[in-house]
Amino acid sequence: MENLLTRIINENKKYTNLGNVADYIPELKKANKEDLGVYIYTTDNEEYFAGDYNKKFSIQSISKIVTLMLALIENGEEYVFEKVGVEPTADSFNSIVSLETKNFHKPLNPMINSGAIAVISMISENKDEEPIDRILKFIRKITDNQDININEKIYLSEKETGHRNRALSYFMKSTNILEKNVEEVLDTYFKACSIEVTCKDIAKIASVLANGGILPWSKEKIIPRKVTRIIKTIMVTCGMYDASGEFAVSVGVPSKSGVGGGILSSVPSRMGIGVYGPALDSKGNSIGGIKVLEELSERLDLSIF
Amino acid sequence: MENLLTRIINENKKYTNLGNVADYIPELKKANKEDLGVYIYTTDNEEYFAGDYNKKFSIQSISKIVTLMLALIENGEEYVFEKVGVEPTADSFNSIVSLETKNFHKPLNPMINSGAIAVISMISENKDEEPIDRILKFIRKITDNQDININEKIYLSEKETGHRNRALSYFMKSTNILEKNVEEVLDTYFKACSIEVTCKDIAKIASVLANGGILPWSKEKIIPRKVTRIIKTIMVTCGMYDASGEFAVSVGVPSKSGVGGGILSSVPSRMGIGVYGPALDSKGNSIGGIKVLEELSERLDLSIF
Amino acid sequence: MENLLTRIINENKKYTNLGNVADYIPELKKANKEDLGVYIYTTDNEEYFAGDYNKKFSIQSISKIVTLMLALIENGEEYVFEKVGVEPTADSFNSIVSLETKNFHKPLNPMINSGAIAVISMISENKDEEPIDRILKFIRKITDNQDININEKIYLSEKETGHRNRALSYFMKSTNILEKNVEEVLDTYFKACSIEVTCKDIAKIASVLANGGILPWSKEKIIPRKVTRIIKTIMVTCGMYDASGEFAVSVGVPSKSGVGGGILSSVPSRMGIGVYGPALDSKGNSIGGIKVLEELSERLDLSIF
Amino acid sequence: MENLLTRIINENKKYTNLGNVADYIPELKKANKEDLGVYIYTTDNEEYFAGDYNKKFSIQSISKIVTLMLALIENGEEYVFEKVGVEPTADSFNSIVSLETKNFHKPLNPMINSGAIAVISMISENKDEEPIDRILKFIRKITDNQDININEKIYLSEKETGHRNRALSYFMKSTNILEKNVEEVLDTYFKACSIEVTCKDIAKIASVLANGGILPWSKEKIIPRKVTRIIKTIMVTCGMYDASGEFAVSVGVPSKSGVGGGILSSVPSRMGIGVYGPALDSKGNSIGGIKVLEELSERLDLSIF
């Protein structure tokens, strides 16, 4: 297996030259464009890896599934989907058009920025814990990694430049989708996007989803089965930005990408996969990462279809 | 099993009153709003059914997956997706907006009308066979039913009132997506939508998809496995109009609906399901049919996620 | 005055090189890109001209104000604006988006293609006269030129390639804005666009508008004053495609352009101006023609503002 | 003349019942729905008035022409229209769609909120004067009324609820249309909208525009003629929200309305008119005010067309 992974990494490394690292904030530009790594964590607790699997990167949009899980666990399906839809869209992740023109101003789904911001506003707080503390606690649990933390530089950079997200948020404030203070919600959002992970971390999150919400390493039930099914469904229909449909055809595995270069893929009942490659294609997905997943899917017959 | 089906049909019949039969053409208005039937055809050639499973209805949009299969078999994946995308959209099935504003004028996917019309224009003809003849031959093969035919009244009615489809088609003609004569392509399209089927017919089509392209009853390989995977994927992301995302969450089975009241659902490796209930919800999906599938999915654990 | 015109033509001829002749039909491509001419016809029957003022060109979108006048005379303001709005739009003249999304499917105004097609469908016919015969009779009257006719080659070319207009028309057919047979209405539309005129002809039409509907040369009252006011108003807000706002600021004279290279400008109470220059800017307006009008407006203080 | 005005006010008062006072902030809801007043200030310094002409109301969107004048005087036409277009739009005044999809993210014109906010950001400041001070100084000058000031309650209410404007502004911040601090720019904008005026005040502003930028009462030249022409042009094409086209047809006088109930109308060379009636139609224009202007335009032959 590791031979296979190593070969796949080596053979697909060349594609990283066809992409570009995210450049909207300076910190992301520092990534090494040629990095490419993969980590597999099976529901039987087997682990396989190759390439730059231990590089740290910011989780970015992959956080959207983490915060959605937490919001669903805390509030239930009905509450969450009262404010955010589950329909895929051909618009880009930061588009504001559909907030004005469609779905009665509800964000179309929780994988576009507006939807994720609305979702994050539902995560509760109490006097000892800010929402971001709850998110960190949760992600440390589902990765079995207590060292996970926020990359402060990336967070500050996101916060400083996140005007499009402010536009989305104030729009939702004006239509009562967002009820809390905008800057506070965004602060949590920017922090959640800046969480630093490795391929292993996201592979383990994916393995929990693959395992129906039970931590494979401790057999502890953490997430209701229904929630893991919702998450995997939304990953298929909306997880790869506006290339989700194409990815579903070519790979067929519930996945979520982030502009930090990560892709989290969950093969139901079998395994979680974490891929990292910061060179992105025009849609914002890891260009090498998609190649790796295409080949893995074919070799290991991973497609759910 | 048949007890289960009978119970499910009976218990969900009440929902048919919350919907309305399609009324854009007089023929569809004649349907009996309270009809509700289901047919299961397993990949092991077992058959179960209940309710109004033997009523005939027009296939309507379910034809979109039949013609897509045929176009893919004839032309290959690359040729077809050169002209039509595979991205889901939150726009309604007959929307023309995205043809002007998105995806370089390519229809976003083959399940919206514009995409299906573009796909149907790719089905070849020869001096003995019109495209519709090839479509009929193909559907008779994958249903094992030589009696399948066009409902002439519905066809004429579609043709007479199909001005929105003409608008979509002439738009595509103006952008060179459509190369053939518009009225000829539309004639095939209207005929394909007017094909009359029963729950059994569409259950059998679904069973072929579930069985990776091999006819369960004869073991004959009819459709490349890759094509069946593409079809199932597109059914998940785009098969239930702009309620596809919600349906994927609640049912989780690759499905395609039509305004004639049918829903075709394909459970990979296991079975094909055909449901019929002409009372539609606001999105154009069979309102009772969806309820039946939700319950079946839960009872039989059908979700692919 | 003629010295002024000659100088203005000569000085602005250089701008024709920055534009391009319309190329969507072969006939229009044959125009001489460097042509530039102007004709002024005052309400006192004085005439001034310079440059290529006697070249023939197809009237194209300038016909939209001729057919709107006729439709208003025949049907009255209320009837016409029941089906077509009078609001300017930032969308381009052949955009279909707003037909689906705005104004309850009514074309936003009569100067975009959809609106003009809807207007032309209101022109009546009787057993001796087709709508195009009425249009020709009317334009011959308001130009005092019995020789005006259709350029057959341009008409056939328009008809052959006019698929976008077919898309617009069938869309309107589907929403009942258009009630007549689409191809018949379009046939009239394509013929009306293919009427051949000179600068003098359109200057005379403009002089009638400037003169409140009275033919300056015969004092005959042809058009109700209210209709001329409506036409001039719509010319200001919508007459120069999606550059109408900019043109109103820089020139300030009610005008209508066509992709044949003509611009008709009506200075209330004072004069009609016809300009011809087939090199177009990116919006579809005569690039040299606009320069000529800017200078004329400044020199003769023509702005109505 | 005053008899005429009194009669027009009395006869049109009934229409105020068909409209509603603005209700998005509590302060505006306090307006007396039946109020209707008019003030005429001619370029010869004659004054005529009737009805509730001396009621105070917040200037709201009428401020958009005041701040545009100031920005044009300070920065010149070229600078201002580098960032904001002059094309009318059929979208509503607070729409965000076109910021994403049209005109390279430039606001389409200075009469919609986004455009007005961009314009207000261009008004300079120095150590003694905030932008709002310059605006107040300017409006006091062109109204000859030193008592003009901000209604503090309305300002605070606007500021508290102005989330849609925040969305527009942060969008423009993200596309670099807006360079200054968003909340500071909005603070000026909310204050400018909250300036309290009477019919007389806005009639006098209109008379300055009518008079080519020369204060009729002192003959002092305050605004370049070119600027007054630009303002009047934009008022015709964009001044009455997305009913500008219809108003241009029915009234034909450059005008700007505000949701406070005011309409400022400038009849070139002749007079300024201020109308007040807080009952609004569905587009946000004073319903009685439009009726008054329609009748005045007809009686006094005010249309510029």
Side-chain angles (χ1 to χ4, degrees):
Chain A
M1 182 73 156
E2 293 211 335
N3 284 348
L4 175 68
L5 294 186
T6 303
R7 200 172 49 66
I8 290 178
I9 289 292
N10 290 340
E11 282 175 6
N12 288 290
K13 204 143 193 163
K14 61 178 179 287
Y15 293 108
T16 61
N17 279 312
L18 303 176
N20 289 99
V21 300
D23 60 358
Y24 70 100
I25 55 171
E27 281 306 307
L28 292 179
K29 270 193 279 192
K30 294 181 186 164
N32 179 8
K33 187 175 159 174
E34 292 182 9
D35 281 353
L36 194 61
V38 62
Y39 203 102
I40 289 180
Y41 195 97
T42 74
T43 53
D44 303 329
N45 296 299
E46 286 166 6
E47 300 174 59
Y48 310 97
F49 39 86
D52 308 296
Y53 67 90
N54 59 358
K55 286 272 179 97
K56 284 190 177 178
F57 55 92
S58 60
I59 192 168
Q60 298 294 345
S61 286
I62 302 174
S63 67
K64 289 179 167 83
I65 61 168
V66 177
T67 49
L68 178 58
M69 276 188 258
L70 193 52
L72 284 167
I73 294 171
E74 283 191 355
N75 304 280
E77 190 185 341
E78 205 170 330
Y79 181 91
V80 171
F81 296 129
E82 181 78 20
K83 297 261 178 179
V84 182
V86 292
E87 292 309 316
T89 168
D91 295 323
S92 81
F93 63 94
N94 65 1
S95 171
I96 204 162
V97 170
S98 58
L99 273 189
E100 181 168 321
T101 60
K102 285 183 192 151
N103 206 27
F104 308 100
H105 304 311
K106 278 171 55 174
L108 284 163
N109 68 63
M111 297 296 107
I112 53 176
N113 288 14
S114 54
I117 293 166
V119 163
I120 226 165
S121 79
M122 300 171 190
I123 294 174
S124 65
E125 58 206 302
N126 55 44
K127 71 172 182 307
D128 300 322
E129 280 181 327
E130 301 282 322
I132 188 63
D133 297 323
R134 299 178 67 85
I135 294 167
L136 281 169
K137 194 196 240 179
F138 181 65
I139 198 170
R140 286 168 187 158
K141 182 84 182 177
I142 59 175
T143 56
D144 196 24
N145 179 357
Q146 290 304 309
D147 297 334
I148 281 185
N149 229 317
I150 290 158
N151 180 316
E152 198 71 15
K153 277 189 184 164
I154 290 178
Y155 155 62
L156 291 172
S157 202
E158 298 279 359
K159 193 179 176 76
E160 195 186 319
T161 61
H163 301 306
R164 181 69 73 101
N165 287 321
R166 284 188 181 89
L168 293 165
S169 301
Y170 278 111
F171 198 100
M172 292 192 287
K173 183 81 179 176
S174 80
T175 57
N176 294 316
I177 295 294
L178 215 57
E179 288 166 17
K180 290 187 184 167
N181 176 285
V182 165
E183 281 297 338
E184 281 173 29
V185 172
L186 281 175
D187 196 63
T188 308
Y189 178 75
F190 293 136
K191 280 176 178 157
C193 290
S194 306
I195 290 172
E196 256 186 348
V197 291
T198 64
C199 285
K200 182 174 182 178
D201 296 321
I202 59 174
K204 291 183 92 168
I205 299 174
S207 75
V208 180
L209 287 167
N211 207 32
I214 297 164
L215 305 182
W217 49 89
S218 70
K219 309 301 171 212
E220 187 183 354
K221 176 95 183 175
I222 286 291
I223 308 160
R225 199 185 182 303
K226 182 74 190 292
V227 168
T228 65
R229 231 180 75 190
I230 292 171
I231 300 288
K232 280 179 282 187
T233 309
I234 292 174
M235 283 161 78
V236 165
T237 53
C238 323
M240 302 297 282
Y241 302 120
D242 42 323
S244 298
E246 207 181 315
F247 183 86
V249 166
S250 66
V251 178
V253 175
S255 300
K256 182 73 204 86
S257 60
V259 294
I263 305 178
L264 175 163
S265 296
S266 177
V267 188
S269 307
R270 294 173 63 186
M271 68 184 74
I273 307 172
V275 179
Y276 171 62
L280 308 178
D281 62 21
S282 64
K283 303 281 184 170
N285 294 315
S286 171
I287 196 165
I290 284 183
K291 289 288 176 186
V292 166
L293 288 165
E294 281 176 359
E295 196 158 341
L296 269 179
S297 173
E298 202 182 311
R299 291 312 193 96
L300 306 178
D301 196 24
L302 302 180
S303 172
I304 61 172
F305 297 106
Chain B
M1 182 74 158
E2 291 211 334
N3 284 348
L4 175 68
L5 293 185
T6 303
R7 200 172 49 66
I8 289 178
I9 289 291
N10 290 340
E11 281 175 5
N12 289 291
K13 203 143 192 163
K14 61 178 179 286
Y15 293 108
T16 61
N17 278 311
L18 303 176
N20 289 100
V21 301
D23 59 0
Y24 70 100
I25 55 171
E27 281 306 307
L28 292 180
K29 270 193 280 194
K30 294 180 186 164
N32 179 10
K33 186 175 158 172
E34 292 181 11
D35 281 352
L36 194 61
V38 63
Y39 204 102
I40 289 179
Y41 195 96
T42 74
T43 52
D44 303 329
N45 297 299
E46 286 167 5
E47 301 174 59
Y48 310 96
F49 39 85
D52 308 296
Y53 67 89
N54 59 359
K55 286 272 179 96
K56 283 189 178 179
F57 56 92
S58 59
I59 192 168
Q60 298 294 346
S61 286
I62 302 174
S63 68
K64 289 179 168 80
I65 62 168
V66 177
T67 49
L68 178 59
M69 276 188 261
L70 193 52
L72 283 168
I73 294 170
E74 284 192 355
N75 304 280
E77 190 185 341
E78 206 170 330
Y79 180 89
V80 171
F81 297 128
E82 181 78 19
K83 296 261 179 180
V84 182
V86 292
E87 291 308 316
T89 167
D91 295 323
S92 81
F93 63 94
N94 64 1
S95 171
I96 203 162
V97 170
S98 59
L99 273 189
E100 180 169 320
T101 59
K102 284 183 193 151
N103 206 26
F104 309 100
H105 304 312
K106 278 170 56 173
L108 284 163
N109 68 63
M111 297 296 107
I112 52 176
N113 288 14
S114 53
I117 293 166
V119 163
I120 226 166
S121 79
M122 300 173 192
I123 293 174
S124 65
E125 56 207 303
N126 56 43
K127 69 174 186 302
D128 300 321
E129 279 180 328
E130 299 283 321
I132 187 63
D133 297 322
R134 301 178 67 83
I135 294 167
L136 281 169
K137 192 196 243 180
F138 181 65
I139 198 170
R140 286 168 187 155
K141 182 84 183 178
I142 57 176
T143 56
D144 196 24
N145 180 356
Q146 291 304 311
D147 297 334
I148 281 185
N149 229 318
I150 290 158
N151 179 316
E152 199 72 15
K153 276 189 184 164
I154 290 178
Y155 155 63
L156 291 172
S157 202
E158 298 280 358
K159 193 179 175 76
E160 194 185 319
T161 61
H163 301 305
R164 181 69 73 101
N165 287 322
R166 284 188 181 88
L168 293 166
S169 301
Y170 278 111
F171 198 99
M172 292 192 288
K173 183 83 178 176
S174 79
T175 57
N176 295 315
I177 295 294
L178 217 57
E179 288 166 17
K180 292 187 185 167
N181 176 285
V182 165
E183 282 297 339
E184 281 173 29
V185 172
L186 281 176
D187 195 64
T188 309
Y189 178 76
F190 293 137
K191 280 177 178 156
C193 289
S194 306
I195 291 172
E196 255 186 347
V197 291
T198 64
C199 285
K200 181 175 183 175
D201 296 321
I202 60 173
K204 291 183 92 167
I205 299 174
S207 75
V208 181
L209 286 168
N211 206 32
I214 296 164
L215 304 181
W217 49 89
S218 70
K219 309 302 171 211
E220 186 182 357
K221 176 94 182 174
I222 285 291
I223 309 160
R225 198 184 183 305
K226 182 74 191 293
V227 169
T228 65
R229 231 180 75 189
I230 291 171
I231 300 288
K232 281 178 281 187
T233 309
I234 292 174
M235 284 161 79
V236 165
T237 53
C238 323
M240 302 297 283
Y241 303 120
D242 43 323
S244 299
E246 207 179 315
F247 183 85
V249 166
S250 65
V251 178
V253 176
S255 300
K256 181 73 204 88
S257 59
V259 294
I263 305 178
L264 175 162
S265 297
S266 176
V267 188
S269 308
R270 293 172 63 184
M271 67 183 75
I273 307 172
V275 180
Y276 169 62
L280 308 179
D281 63 20
S282 64
K283 303 283 185 169
N285 295 314
S286 171
I287 196 164
I290 284 183
K291 289 288 177 188
V292 166
L293 288 166
E294 281 176 358
E295 197 158 339
L296 269 180
S297 174
E298 203 181 308
R299 290 311 194 95
L300 307 178
D301 197 23
L302 303 181
S303 172
I304 61 171
F305 297 104
Chain C
M1 183 74 158
E2 293 211 333
N3 284 347
L4 174 69
L5 294 185
T6 302
R7 200 170 50 65
I8 290 178
I9 290 292
N10 290 340
E11 281 174 6
N12 288 290
K13 203 142 194 165
K14 61 178 179 288
Y15 293 108
T16 61
N17 278 312
L18 303 176
N20 290 99
V21 300
D23 60 359
Y24 69 99
I25 54 171
E27 281 306 308
L28 291 180
K29 270 193 280 194
K30 293 181 186 165
N32 180 9
K33 188 175 158 172
E34 292 182 9
D35 281 352
L36 194 60
V38 61
Y39 204 102
I40 289 179
Y41 195 96
T42 73
T43 52
D44 302 330
N45 296 299
E46 287 167 5
E47 300 174 58
Y48 310 96
F49 40 84
D52 307 297
Y53 66 90
N54 59 359
K55 286 272 179 97
K56 283 189 178 179
F57 56 93
S58 59
I59 192 167
Q60 297 294 344
S61 286
I62 303 174
S63 68
K64 289 179 168 82
I65 60 167
V66 176
T67 48
L68 178 58
M69 275 188 261
L70 193 53
L72 284 168
I73 294 172
E74 283 191 356
N75 304 281
E77 190 185 342
E78 207 171 329
Y79 181 90
V80 172
F81 297 127
E82 181 77 19
K83 297 260 178 180
V84 182
V86 292
E87 291 309 316
T89 168
D91 294 324
S92 80
F93 62 94
N94 65 0
S95 171
I96 203 162
V97 170
S98 60
L99 273 188
E100 181 168 321
T101 59
K102 285 183 193 152
N103 207 25
F104 309 100
H105 304 311
K106 278 169 56 173
L108 284 163
N109 67 63
M111 297 297 107
I112 53 177
N113 288 13
S114 54
I117 293 166
V119 162
I120 225 166
S121 79
M122 299 172 192
I123 294 174
S124 66
E125 57 207 303
N126 56 44
K127 70 172 185 303
D128 300 321
E129 279 181 326
E130 299 284 322
I132 188 62
D133 297 323
R134 300 178 68 84
I135 294 167
L136 281 170
K137 193 197 242 179
F138 181 65
I139 197 170
R140 285 168 188 156
K141 182 83 184 178
I142 59 176
T143 55
D144 195 25
N145 179 356
Q146 290 305 310
D147 296 334
I148 281 185
N149 229 318
I150 290 158
N151 179 315
E152 199 71 16
K153 277 189 183 165
I154 289 178
Y155 155 62
L156 291 172
S157 202
E158 298 279 358
K159 191 179 176 78
E160 195 186 319
T161 61
H163 301 305
R164 182 68 73 99
N165 288 321
R166 284 188 181 86
L168 293 166
S169 300
Y170 278 111
F171 198 100
M172 291 192 288
K173 183 82 178 177
S174 79
T175 57
N176 295 316
I177 295 293
L178 216 58
E179 288 167 17
K180 292 188 185 166
N181 177 285
V182 164
E183 281 297 340
E184 281 173 29
V185 171
L186 280 175
D187 195 64
T188 308
Y189 178 75
F190 293 137
K191 280 177 178 155
C193 288
S194 306
I195 291 172
E196 256 186 346
V197 290
T198 63
C199 285
K200 181 174 182 176
D201 296 322
I202 58 174
K204 291 183 93 167
I205 299 173
S207 75
V208 180
L209 287 167
N211 206 32
I214 296 164
L215 305 180
W217 50 89
S218 70
K219 309 303 169 208
E220 188 183 355
K221 176 93 183 174
I222 285 292
I223 309 159
R225 198 184 183 305
K226 183 74 189 294
V227 169
T228 65
R229 232 179 75 188
I230 292 171
I231 300 289
K232 282 178 281 187
T233 309
I234 292 173
M235 286 161 78
V236 164
T237 54
C238 323
M240 302 296 283
Y241 303 121
D242 43 324
S244 298
E246 208 180 315
F247 183 85
V249 166
S250 66
V251 177
V253 176
S255 299
K256 181 73 203 87
S257 59
V259 294
I263 305 177
L264 174 163
S265 296
S266 175
V267 187
S269 307
R270 292 173 63 185
M271 67 183 75
I273 307 173
V275 179
Y276 170 62
L280 308 179
D281 62 22
S282 65
K283 303 282 184 168
N285 295 314
S286 171
I287 196 165
I290 285 183
K291 288 289 177 185
V292 166
L293 287 166
E294 281 176 359
E295 197 159 340
L296 269 180
S297 173
E298 204 181 309
R299 290 314 192 94
L300 306 178
D301 196 25
L302 303 181
S303 171
I304 62 172
F305 297 105
Chain D
M1 181 75 157
E2 292 210 335
N3 284 347
L4 174 69
L5 294 186
T6 302
R7 200 171 50 63
I8 290 178
I9 289 292
N10 289 340
E11 281 176 5
N12 288 291
K13 203 140 193 164
K14 62 178 178 288
Y15 293 108
T16 61
N17 278 313
L18 303 176
N20 290 100
V21 301
D23 59 359
Y24 69 100
I25 55 171
E27 281 305 307
L28 291 179
K29 269 194 279 194
K30 294 180 186 164
N32 180 9
K33 187 176 159 173
E34 292 182 9
D35 281 352
L36 194 60
V38 61
Y39 203 103
I40 289 178
Y41 195 97
T42 73
T43 52
D44 302 330
N45 296 298
E46 287 166 5
E47 300 174 59
Y48 309 97
F49 39 85
D52 308 296
Y53 67 89
N54 59 357
K55 287 269 179 99
K56 282 189 177 180
F57 56 92
S58 58
I59 191 168
Q60 297 294 345
S61 287
I62 303 174
S63 68
K64 290 179 167 83
I65 60 167
V66 176
T67 49
L68 178 58
M69 276 188 258
L70 193 53
L72 284 167
I73 294 171
E74 283 191 356
N75 303 282
E77 191 185 340
E78 206 170 329
Y79 181 90
V80 171
F81 297 128
E82 181 77 19
K83 296 260 177 179
V84 181
V86 292
E87 291 309 315
T89 168
D91 295 323
S92 80
F93 62 94
N94 64 2
S95 171
I96 203 161
V97 170
S98 58
L99 273 189
E100 181 168 320
T101 59
K102 284 182 194 153
N103 206 26
F104 309 101
H105 304 312
K106 278 169 56 172
L108 284 163
N109 67 62
M111 297 296 107
I112 53 177
N113 288 14
S114 55
I117 293 166
V119 163
I120 225 165
S121 79
M122 299 172 192
I123 294 174
S124 65
E125 57 206 301
N126 56 43
K127 70 173 184 305
D128 301 320
E129 280 181 328
E130 299 283 321
I132 188 63
D133 298 323
R134 299 178 67 85
I135 294 167
L136 281 169
K137 194 196 239 179
F138 180 64
I139 197 170
R140 285 168 187 156
K141 182 83 183 179
I142 58 175
T143 56
D144 196 25
N145 179 357
Q146 290 305 309
D147 296 335
I148 281 185
N149 229 317
I150 290 157
N151 180 317
E152 199 71 15
K153 278 188 183 164
I154 290 177
Y155 155 62
L156 291 172
S157 202
E158 298 280 359
K159 191 179 177 76
E160 195 186 319
T161 61
H163 302 305
R164 182 68 73 101
N165 288 321
R166 283 188 180 87
L168 293 166
S169 300
Y170 278 111
F171 198 99
M172 292 192 287
K173 183 82 179 175
S174 79
T175 57
N176 295 316
I177 295 292
L178 215 58
E179 289 167 17
K180 292 187 185 167
N181 176 285
V182 164
E183 282 297 338
E184 281 173 28
V185 171
L186 281 175
D187 196 64
T188 308
Y189 178 75
F190 294 137
K191 280 177 178 158
C193 289
S194 307
I195 291 172
E196 256 186 347
V197 290
T198 64
C199 286
K200 181 174 181 176
D201 296 321
I202 59 174
K204 291 182 93 168
I205 299 174
S207 75
V208 180
L209 287 167
N211 207 32
I214 296 164
L215 304 182
W217 50 89
S218 70
K219 309 302 171 211
E220 188 183 353
K221 176 94 183 175
I222 285 292
I223 308 160
R225 198 184 182 303
K226 183 74 191 292
V227 169
T228 65
R229 232 180 74 189
I230 292 171
I231 300 289
K232 281 178 282 187
T233 308
I234 292 174
M235 285 161 78
V236 164
T237 54
C238 321
M240 302 298 282
Y241 303 121
D242 43 322
S244 299
E246 206 179 315
F247 183 85
V249 166
S250 65
V251 177
V253 176
S255 300
K256 181 74 202 86
S257 60
V259 294
I263 305 178
L264 174 162
S265 297
S266 176
V267 188
S269 307
R270 292 173 63 185
M271 67 183 76
I273 307 172
V275 179
Y276 170 62
L280 307 179
D281 62 22
S282 64
K283 304 282 185 168
N285 294 315
S286 171
I287 196 165
I290 284 183
K291 289 288 176 186
V292 166
L293 287 165
E294 281 177 359
E295 196 158 340
L296 269 179
S297 173
E298 202 181 311
R299 290 315 191 93
L300 306 178
D301 196 24
L302 302 181
S303 172
I304 62 172
F305 298 105

